[in-house]
Amino acid sequence: ITSEPHAEHYYNLLLDEISDTLDGLCDPNSMWGKYIVETAQAGVHKPCGNYNEKEACNGDVGCAFRDVLAACVDTPCIKHCSEGLCKSDTANKCFWKADESVCYKEEGCSGYKKETDCNVDTTCAWREDKCVNKCFWKADESVCYKEEGCSGYKKETDCNVDTTCAWREDKCVDKPCDYPDENSCTADSTYDCEWSSKDGSCTEKPCQHSDEAACTAEAKCLWDKACVGTGIPAMCVLKPCDYSTSADCSADAQCGWSGSACVMKTCSPFADERCCNANEEQHGCHWDVKQSPAICSVGPCREYGESACNSERSCMWEGTECVEKDCNKMTDKCACEADPDCFYSTAPGKPHCTFQRFGTCPTLDVVLLLDGGVSMSRKFGRHPQGYYALVEVVRDWARTLPLSGSAAGAAPANNNAARLAFVQFAGTSLWPAGDAKQALSSTGSGTSEGRLTGVMSEIEKDLEFQE
């Protein structure tokens, strides 16, 4: 006990929450940690997640505050494990601290303890017995700012010399997409940044041309029309599989070596998530987020023959092809019970096979509210559009549920199975208050017309409508 007990020390926990709560015991922002963690000492590196304030974060030699995430994260320097790598990273201004054998970011002006050393650095000034960042007065705003950085370069040649800057639209700006981690990279709302899991680097997405002529004028780009038939407009993409050797070709998950040429695999032309998933039935495609940038590839199990399929736990042979296992399609009780992933429910009126995780479900009616606000139209991590990614997650989940079989408007069955309904909503910032579009339910042939349904074909139509 480090303090007198307070009311906030007592609260209910689910069993699964206990581990996370104990993990936060020494987090100074947690309920208990703020009472028992010592105040950070100046110059001593602490876990970056402990800092809530930008100034405190940037004051730690191992941390940097990322405005795009509104969070404190590790500086790129901390990832260098040798003195050589550390000192060679001049772009991030790293230095090797020999007594700790750790690479930190340079402390900046505050690291100079002598006036003579401080004054040598043109970005610093000696004030009140300490070295501080030099400031400048912006007369039109009557505000004192820290040194301008990239915006201070008025010539392209000067700008390009600084590796932290880039020349854009006749002015010098901070280098776009200069992030050390994937979350910061994909959260940038100003530039279309792309994280490469292969290289561990963040760069501007190539081929960002909006018209065919500009796209094809750049040798590395391709005007992709593969998705036009699914309602997705043609787009400019990096030319896939442009390799001259078998080794380079095979290293790219989108490509395959055929004879003496590198060719695209079946699903590779579909460069948009919505378009990719629209080709699931015909080509077995799915949006693969296991790598960054994500790609469209043949779905799990689809490339297996019957023998390999039957030996793969997550797959099942259906007719003439291998597909992902679906316990709901198993009709034989013994086969269902023999499969460790499946469970046979003896529900009244409808005994059925389902996945183990749904084996204890009672009869369920579930209404899902889908956020259709403008914020969902932006990129979310490895998904190019947040709303379509959300709908796809819901669709995949619905396909694994034990559904009641009761169509919209029919009397519900009590059979330990589920019915679903969907409502898309958005705030008043997008549509006027009271507008019907703020709560949008499906209409049209084949849909549930906004009602609960336990029929997958109606659910599919509902989700198509919501898209």
Side-chain angles (χ1 to χ4, degrees):
I1 297 176
T2 61
S3 66
E4 288 293 321
H6 294 264
E8 64 179 354
H9 290 170
Y10 304 95
Y11 66 113
N12 294 322
L13 282 175
L14 295 175
L15 182 64
D16 291 337
E17 296 173 332
I18 293 175
S19 176
D20 288 341
T21 303
L22 293 177
D23 285 344
L25 187 65
C26 292
D27 180 351
N29 303 306
S30 74
M31 182 186 70
W32 295 317
K34 61 186 177 183
Y35 292 105
I36 63 176
V37 176
E38 296 178 4
T39 303
Q41 297 174 331
V44 178
H45 175 48
K46 299 292 184 183
C48 300
N50 289 354
Y51 297 110
N52 289 329
E53 300 297 327
K54 182 175 182 177
E55 185 176 353
C57 170
N58 289 332
D60 188 310
V61 291
C63 305
F65 195 86
R66 297 293 175 192
D67 291 318
V68 70
L69 294 176
C72 189
V73 300
D74 287 342
T75 171
C77 301
I78 208 79
K79 298 178 180 180
H80 299 314
C81 298
S82 70
E83 184 174 0
L85 286 173
C86 179
K87 289 183 175 180
S88 66
D89 189 350
T90 55
N92 289 303
K93 298 182 179 179
C94 303
F95 79 96
W96 184 255
K97 195 168 184 184
D99 58 337
E100 295 181 24
S101 294
V102 176
C103 187
Y104 289 128
K105 67 180 181 182
E106 285 183 4
E107 293 180 276
C109 298
S110 62
Y112 297 120
K113 305 306 178 187
K114 297 179 181 180
E115 183 175 359
T116 51
D117 295 334
C118 176
N119 291 334
V120 169
D121 192 326
T122 56
T123 66
C124 304
W126 191 259
R127 300 282 189 272
E128 299 178 357
D129 293 327
K130 61 182 177 182
C131 196
V132 297
N133 290 306
K134 189 182 291 182
C135 299
F136 74 97
W137 184 257
K138 195 166 185 183
D140 58 337
E141 296 180 19
S142 295
V143 175
C144 186
Y145 284 118
K146 193 175 176 179
E147 188 162 308
E148 289 181 277
C150 297
S151 62
Y153 297 118
K154 306 306 178 186
K155 295 180 180 179
E156 184 175 358
T157 50
D158 296 334
C159 176
N160 292 334
V161 169
D162 192 327
T163 56
T164 65
C165 304
W167 190 258
R168 294 286 188 276
E169 298 177 357
D170 293 325
K171 61 183 177 181
C172 194
V173 298
D174 291 337
K175 185 180 179 181
C177 307
D178 188 21
Y179 299 109
D181 58 86
E182 183 175 358
N183 288 338
S184 303
C185 180
T186 56
D188 192 312
S189 58
T190 304
Y191 297 98
D192 193 355
C193 301
E194 188 173 75
W195 181 260
S196 169
S197 52
K198 179 181 179 181
D199 302 327
S201 62
C202 183
T203 57
E204 275 190 279
K205 187 177 181 180
C207 303
Q208 295 185 50
H209 303 292
S210 57
D211 64 273
E212 185 172 0
C215 179
T216 54
E218 191 171 352
K220 66 179 181 180
C221 301
L222 169 73
W223 189 247
D224 185 2
K225 300 179 182 178
C227 294
V228 172
T230 60
I232 306 298
M235 66 186 79
C236 192
V237 299
L238 184 66
K239 193 176 290 183
C241 307
D242 190 18
Y243 303 109
S244 57
T245 67
S246 173
D248 290 339
C249 179
S250 301
D252 190 326
Q254 297 185 89
C255 311
W257 191 257
S258 177
S260 59
C262 188
V263 298
M264 286 190 285
K265 292 183 178 178
T266 303
C267 299
S268 297
F270 311 121
D272 178 86
E273 181 172 13
R274 185 183 179 191
C275 167
C276 175
N277 292 324
N279 281 277
E280 179 183 14
E281 186 173 345
Q282 183 177 358
H283 299 295
C285 303
H286 84 126
W287 193 248
D288 184 1
V289 295
K290 292 179 181 177
Q291 60 182 323
S292 181
I295 62 170
C296 188
S297 64
V298 174
C301 308
R302 295 279 184 166
E303 295 182 310
Y304 293 134
E306 185 173 1
S307 177
C309 181
N310 292 330
S311 63
E312 183 63 42
R313 177 171 172 170
S314 61
C315 306
M316 62 186 291
W317 189 257
E318 187 176 63
T320 59
E321 63 180 351
C322 188
V323 297
E324 287 185 87
K325 182 192 293 182
D326 185 354
C327 298
N328 298 296
K329 291 182 178 179
M330 292 187 180
T331 56
D332 183 79
K333 179 177 183 292
C334 292
C336 176
E337 292 181 334
D339 193 307
D341 297 320
C342 303
F343 176 84
Y344 195 82
S345 171
T346 54
K350 189 189 176 184
H352 59 274
C353 186
T354 188
F355 286 96
Q356 283 277 351
R357 59 183 178 275
F358 300 131
T360 55
C361 286
T363 301
L364 291 172
D365 284 341
V366 183
V367 178
L368 289 97
L369 302 180
L370 306 175
D371 182 0
V374 67
S375 64
M376 291 297 290
S377 64
R378 65 182 178 86
K379 180 170 61 176
F380 276 64
R382 297 180 180 180
H383 300 276
Q385 216 263 19
Y387 183 77
Y388 293 131
L390 172 65
V391 171
E392 206 53 46
V393 168
V394 171
R395 180 182 282 116
D396 288 344
W397 172 71
R399 288 172 177 172
T400 63
L401 277 175
L403 296 173
S404 69
S406 302
N414 182 24
N415 56 11
N416 290 14
R419 296 189 303 170
L420 303 179
F422 308 95
V423 177
Q424 181 182 161
F425 70 94
T428 54
S429 61
L430 188 59
W431 290 303
D435 191 303
K437 291 179 181 177
Q438 284 187 265
L440 190 63
S441 297
S442 59
T443 58
S445 175
T447 72
S448 69
E449 298 185 343
R451 296 171 293 179
L452 287 158
T453 176
V455 177
M456 192 62 211
S457 61
E458 290 184 336
I459 291 171
E460 292 277 12
K461 286 290 185 181
D462 285 349
L463 290 172
E464 287 176 16
F465 174 87
Q466 296 295 356
E467 283 184 315

